[in-house]
Amino acid sequence: MNDKFFALPQDKQDRILNAGYRVFSQNSYKKSPMNEIALEADISKSLLFFYFKNKKEFYVFLMQTAADTTRDCLIKSGCYQETDIFEMMYKALEAKVRLMRQYPDMSNFSLKAYYEEDDEVKSEIQKIIAPYTALSTNKTLPPLDPSVYKEGLDLRLMYQDMYLASEGYMYQMQNTGKIDVDKIMKDYRELIDFWKKLYLR
């Protein structure tokens, strides 16, 4: 599937992906016209339909690509092999920032697609996100050595607090309309340093 699309140079693939992410992140599925996406990608509408037979196929492809790209980027970052929870979170953020540089609207698109209610695409989107929801990776406490943290600290609540703060910060930054990735990295490093002083012995 999509062999013609994958035969394109990477920069042209990214241009089409970014056009889709941008337009679909700003409107509902139904109110996102393919001609606007083609215009954003600087290609003809007929050429867009040459790569994807219809809007549904393109929309589902965008979601699957977002899920696969995010997973692969996080794995390559080494965050899952990190034993230091603070460095684990920082490496994960670095991976997400790299994705923001390449696909600025992918995260906003994914969030919007997650809550999309249109019957034409809803079930397909649910199939894509189901494996990640089942894993509950964001709720699972990574292996931690209690001896390095302050005595009596509830490590599960600590991790949940840091995770929710991180997600809230990223959501806030994404909603500013213009993401400053250098500021994100600086702010997040300061936040991690604060957590270290707060939680470590």
Side-chain angles (χ1 to χ4, degrees):
M1 183 183 289
N2 303 110
D3 290 340
K4 295 169 184 174
F5 176 76
F6 288 122
L8 293 171
Q10 187 62 52
D11 64 327
K12 192 166 186 177
Q13 288 186 39
D14 286 351
R15 197 166 75 240
I16 294 171
L17 290 172
N18 279 323
Y21 289 141
R22 179 180 295 275
V23 173
F24 281 123
S25 69
Q26 294 174 343
N27 306 284
S28 66
Y29 169 75
K30 186 172 289 186
K31 293 184 178 180
S32 297
M34 290 290 274
N35 61 319
E36 186 176 333
I37 294 169
L39 186 64
E40 181 84 19
D42 195 26
I43 60 174
S44 67
K45 183 179 176 181
S46 60
L47 191 55
L48 184 57
F49 281 119
F50 176 73
Y51 302 132
F52 303 94
K53 64 181 181 181
N54 53 42
K55 184 164 79 166
K56 176 183 177 180
E57 182 181 270
F58 184 48
Y59 189 84
V60 172
F61 177 81
L62 287 174
M63 188 60 172
Q64 187 65 64
T65 300
D68 293 344
T69 303
T70 301
R71 179 201 61 217
D72 293 346
C73 191
L74 287 170
I75 290 173
K76 289 177 183 178
S77 75
C79 66
Y80 296 127
Q81 285 73 48
E82 184 59 62
T83 56
D84 182 322
I85 188 173
F86 302 107
E87 289 307 307
M88 178 195 78
M89 297 184 80
Y90 191 72
K91 283 184 177 180
L93 179 82
E94 285 183 313
K96 290 177 180 179
V97 164
R98 283 194 293 273
L99 286 178
M100 286 180 192
R101 292 184 190 276
Q102 189 172 2
Y103 306 109
D105 297 290
M106 186 174 74
S107 181
N108 284 337
F109 162 80
S110 299
L111 183 63
K112 199 168 187 70
Y114 182 90
Y115 292 105
E116 179 59 62
E117 290 295 322
D118 194 296
D119 289 337
E120 187 175 351
V121 294
K122 184 177 179 179
S123 62
E124 296 295 327
I125 297 302
Q126 293 303 314
K127 288 177 187 176
I128 294 171
I129 65 176
Y132 302 97
T133 304
L135 285 173
S136 298
T137 50
N138 294 336
K139 301 176 183 177
T140 303
L141 186 69
L144 300 178
D145 179 2
S147 67
V148 304
Y149 300 94
K150 289 183 178 177
E151 187 176 355
L153 185 65
D154 187 321
L155 298 182
R156 185 170 294 278
L157 284 177
M158 176 196 74
Y159 177 61
Q160 184 181 47
D161 178 60
M162 291 192 298
Y163 171 75
L164 292 175
S166 300
E167 290 297 296
Y169 174 77
M170 292 300 293
Y171 180 76
Q172 183 183 43
M173 288 298 101
Q174 288 168 350
N175 281 324
T176 60
K178 184 177 181 181
I179 296 176
D180 185 339
V181 292
D182 293 324
K183 175 175 169 52
I184 289 174
M185 295 301 294
K186 178 179 178 293
D187 289 350
Y188 202 73
R189 175 50 74 183
E190 290 176 355
L191 192 56
I192 286 179
D193 289 341
F194 169 75
W195 284 331
K196 285 183 176 181
K197 292 177 183 177
L198 187 65
Y199 295 128
L200 293 178
R201 288 182 186 270

